[in-house]
């Protein structure tokens, strides 16, 4: 370990610190009782523990607002222990997890069960969405704490699929809680699956669930959100068409996100990755990559999520379309984006905004997402000077693979801190869980508006 611990607190020394106004300071950060208490160019000797951060860059910990961590019920793919270790290694200090576990998270009891499991296992902070089934309107209004209601408008089987306007409308009409949608038109998917039945080339996945499939569902979600002025978040935007629609009309109470996969991979990935490149919504064209990037830079897209969706190599080795859709992502998202920054595509401050500050604002997570006095000490020290490739060996996700294997990246986390506790340091993990349940104040309209500033 590169730090000395003390029961009093921790001082991080000589880091390049990204401050909350996007300016930089070469200096020290003092942490006490889980919070940042001082930031200065030089803090005098204290009886706190010390962490030498010379040559490293200090960023707010990543808040990943869309992950699938598989516990309970699908632990052979991932569980909260393996997933939160992957988070710690990737600089992700908080996550928001989706309800498609077994059982699904559609009641207070199921939510409480996940919270209890996370308290016993998670190295990082956690929040869990409540899933809409079309029949649990009362639960959607009453459960707590939750970042919001998840609706699968498409690409889902069973109770979590809510795919007709008639079933969606009452969910939008009742309550004020944030609604996050997986926007793909299930009826169009059904028709196109028939059209392409008998084809086993995984690249057909992007033809079946095409741009129109995503656009139609996004249009419907927007229509309902405008009708009821309902806080809407559109998950993993994947097409130029949706980005252009939102550029033209995006009410202040609507936010959206994009994944590193939809920014950096496209249909050409099937050739090398086969079914490993299969996800929902599917990868699209290089032109879609470009328009999504521009929309992110322009603030049309508010933040970044990984949609971490681990499946085993065995499951992925089946023949398309019997393969499950999804890719892991929490270990690689920050270095992927920081590498883009170092290559001049955006700034490091923009990356921190998309991966921390704007997420905290969008979901109303108090005291997180920035490095400032009084904020929670959820931090990541990254090395922006060396490049290392993504390697299958050493990945913490239980599924044991990444679509980005071989990519040479910079900005790898060296040390990750959650609530003032070092949870990851140069290959070593804290041996006890210390993640906390996140609280959500719910973003106000002006919060949603200001999340577009960056
Ligand atoms: O590709 C995906 N996989 N997209 C989703 O929305 C769900 C996820 C999963 O849970 O496997």
């Amino acid at each position: 370990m590169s730090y000395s611990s003390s029961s009093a607190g921790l001082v991080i020394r000589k880091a390049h610190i990204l401050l909350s106004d996007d300016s930089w300071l070469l200096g020290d950060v003092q942490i006490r009782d889980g919070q940042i208490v001082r930031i200065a160019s030089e803090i005098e000797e204290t009886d706190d523990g010390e962490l030498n951060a010379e040559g490293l860059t200090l960023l707010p910990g990543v808040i990943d607002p869309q992950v699938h961590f598989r516990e309970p019920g699908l632990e052979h793919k991932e569980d909260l222990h393996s997933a939160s270790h992957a988070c710690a290694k990737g600089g992700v200090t908080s996550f928001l997890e989706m309800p498609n576990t077994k059982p699904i998270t559609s009641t207070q009891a199921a939510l409480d069960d996940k919270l209890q499991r996370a308290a016993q296992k998670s190295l990082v902070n956690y929040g869990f969405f409540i899933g809409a089934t079309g029949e649990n309107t009362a639960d959607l209004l009453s459960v707590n704490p939750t970042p919001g209601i998840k609706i699968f408008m498409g690409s889902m089987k069973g109770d979590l699929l809510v795919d007709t306007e008639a079933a969606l409308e009452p969910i939008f009409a009742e309550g004020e809680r944030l609604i996050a949608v997986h926007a793909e038109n299930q009826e169009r998917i059904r028709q196109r699956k028939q059209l392409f039945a008998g084809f086993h080339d995984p690249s057909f996945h992007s033809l079946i669930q095409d741009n129109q499939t995503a656009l139609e569902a996004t249009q419907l979600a927007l229509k309902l959100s405008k009708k009821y002025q309902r806080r809407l978040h559109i998950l993993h935007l994947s097409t130029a068409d949706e980005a252009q629609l939102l550029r033209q009309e995006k009410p202040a109470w609507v936010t959206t996100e994009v994944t590193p996969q939809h920014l950096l991979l496209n249909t050409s990935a099937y050739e090398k990755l086969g079914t490993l490149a299969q996800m929902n919504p599917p990868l699209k064209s290089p032109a879609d990559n470009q328009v999504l990037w521009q929309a992110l830079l322009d603030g049309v897209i508010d933040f970044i999520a990984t949609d971490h969706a681990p499946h085993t190599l065995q499951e992925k080795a089946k023949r398309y379309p019997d393969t499950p859709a999804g890719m892991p992502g929490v270990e690689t998202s920050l270095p992927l984006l920081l590498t883009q920054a170092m290559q001049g595509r955006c700034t490091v401050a923009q990356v921190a905004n998309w991966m921390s500050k704007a997420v905290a604002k969008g979901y109303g997570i108090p005291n997180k997402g920035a490095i400032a006095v009084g904020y929670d000490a959820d931090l990541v020290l990254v090395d922006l000077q060396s490049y290392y490739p993504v390697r299958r060996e050493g990945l913490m996700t239980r599924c044991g693979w990444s679509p980005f294997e071989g990519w040479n990246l910079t900005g790898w986390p060296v040390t990750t801190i959650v609530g003032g506790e070092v949870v990851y340091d140069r290959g070593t993990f804290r041996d006890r869980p210390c993640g906390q349940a996140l609280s959500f104040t719910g973003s106000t309209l002006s919060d949603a508006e200001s999340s577009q500033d960056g």
Side-chain angles (χ1 to χ4, degrees), residues 79-150:
D79 68 11
L80 291 166
H81 179 89
S82 59
S84 73
H85 279 65
C87 283
K89 187 148 175 272
V92 175
T93 52
S94 298
F95 64 80
L96 307 183
E97 207 255 357
M98 288 296 162
N100 57 324
T101 41
K102 275 190 179 171
I104 60 172
T105 321
S106 59
T107 61
Q108 183 71 53
L111 178 65
D112 288 343
D113 176 54
K114 275 193 174 174
L115 288 163
Q116 261 174 30
R117 288 166 182 270
Q120 283 162 15
K121 289 190 182 181
S122 186
L123 281 180
V124 304
N125 304 316
Y126 44 85
F128 298 101
F129 279 89
I130 179 88
T133 65
E135 277 161 22
N136 64 341
T137 319
D139 300 277
L140 298 183
L141 297 175
S142 65
V143 300
N144 266 311
T146 186
I149 298 166
K150 166 70 183 276

Side-chain angles (χ1 to χ4, degrees), residues 145-323:
T146 186
I149 298 166
K150 166 70 183 276
I151 305 181
F152 283 93
M153 297 171 72
S155 282
M156 185 45 63
K157 295 188 187 111
D159 290 345
L160 283 176
L161 179 66
V162 185
D163 61 344
T164 63
E165 187 168 347
L168 289 163
E169 181 134 13
I171 305 173
F172 277 81
E174 273 197 63
E176 294 180 350
R177 172 167 275 172
L178 178 148
I179 294 176
V181 291
H182 178 129
E184 289 191 280
N185 179 352
Q186 186 63 25
E187 179 50 25
R188 185 174 169 91
I189 296 174
R190 200 187 56 74
Q191 287 170 11
R192 290 175 72 77
K193 272 190 175 165
Q194 278 176 0
L195 205 63
F196 291 98
F199 289 97
H200 299 291
D201 179 339
S203 68
F204 277 85
H205 194 61
S206 295
L207 286 178
I208 295 168
Q209 293 171 220
D210 63 352
N211 285 31
Q212 190 64 21
T213 302
L215 180 64
E216 287 175 5
T218 290
Q219 281 169 330
L220 175 57
L222 262 183
K223 179 178 123 179
L224 292 171
S225 163
K226 283 199 290 189
K227 182 167 176 185
Y228 296 101
Q229 300 222 338
R230 182 67 182 262
R231 173 81 179 92
L232 171 68
H233 179 68
I234 303 162
L235 299 158
H236 41 39
L237 209 73
S238 63
T239 68
D241 310 67
E242 293 163 285
Q244 271 146 7
L245 170 70
L246 291 171
R247 192 181 281 281
Q248 280 155 21
E249 55 156 354
K250 185 169 171 243
W253 58 88
V254 176
T255 51
T256 188
E257 69 186 26
V258 65
T259 68
Q261 302 90 291
H262 290 113
L263 289 172
L264 299 171
L265 300 176
N266 52 57
T267 48
S268 68
Y270 290 112
E271 200 181 319
K272 184 169 160 224
L273 297 175
T275 55
L276 296 184
Q278 182 191 343
M279 72 173 292
N280 294 329
L283 299 176
K284 301 290 179 352
S285 71
D288 290 289
N289 294 149
Q290 290 255 332
V291 174
L292 291 169
W293 256 109
Q294 198 55 50
L296 182 64
L297 289 168
D298 294 343
V300 175
I301 297 176
D302 301 86
F303 40 83
I304 288 176
T306 64
D307 193 19
H308 179 94
H311 298 285
T312 65
L313 284 166
Q314 208 181 5
E315 291 162 338
K316 282 287 200 181
K318 290 181 184 166
R319 191 171 69 161
Y320 182 81
D322 302 329
T323 32

Side-chain angles (χ1 to χ4, degrees), residues 439-450:
S439 56
F440 306 94
T441 59
S443 66
T444 63
L445 297 188
S446 57
D447 278 337
E449 256 169 347
S450 62

Side-chain angles (χ1 to χ4, degrees), residues 393-407:
E393 309 77 44
L395 286 173
M396 298 311 294
T397 175
R398 183 161 294 155
C399 73
W401 60 275
S402 162
F404 298 103
E405 280 166 42
W407 288 43

